[in-house]
Amino acid sequence: MGALGLPGHDCGKERRQMDKITKYAFDYFITPARTQGDYVVGIRAGDIAKALSLQDRLPMICSKLGSNKFETETHVRRVALEGPINGSNALFVYRVK
């Protein structure tokens, strides 16, 4: 039994994966955009899934990239979402603050 008494549900593991998603997006997309002086950056959910071996967790990745918490943590503001909302080709476009 995992957390909440649900079979196979591990809140700690999911939280760690969400933190990895934020860190990867920040380190490999947002920080380089800031360094280069870009005002806008796009992050494709499938790129993060592939890099972190989370191909089966695309809805979680898209949920994180689309959350207000992600914007607050990384100091960006989402200005567009292109493609399927929970697919590998979902492209989240942010204004870099």
Side-chain angles (χ1 to χ4, degrees):
M1 286 282 175
L4 305 175
L6 300 174
H9 187 77
D10 184 350
C11 287
K13 180 180 179 182
E14 189 169 302
R15 189 174 303 118
R16 287 188 302 275
Q17 288 176 335
M18 295 283 247
D19 291 343
K20 279 184 176 182
I21 292 164
T22 301
K23 181 170 176 22
Y24 187 84
F26 187 77
D27 290 348
Y28 290 93
F29 292 95
I30 297 167
T31 296
R34 281 196 179 112
T35 301
Q36 295 172 19
D38 296 337
Y39 295 103
V40 176
V41 64
I43 302 174
R44 196 175 75 86
D47 293 340
I48 291 180
K50 184 176 181 181
L52 299 179
S53 298
L54 294 174
Q55 288 88 343
D56 60 335
R57 303 298 298 196
L58 279 162
M60 180 180 69
I61 292 168
C62 292
S63 175
K64 181 62 179 183
L65 293 176
S67 71
N68 291 332
K69 185 176 180 181
F70 178 81
E71 292 182 33
T72 301
E73 291 172 339
T74 59
H75 306 286
V76 296
R77 191 175 124 242
R78 184 165 45 106
V79 295
L81 170 58
E82 299 174 9
I85 194 161
N86 281 325
S88 63
N89 287 320
L91 178 65
F92 293 82
V93 182
Y94 303 94
R95 177 170 299 281
V96 179
K97 296 180 185 177

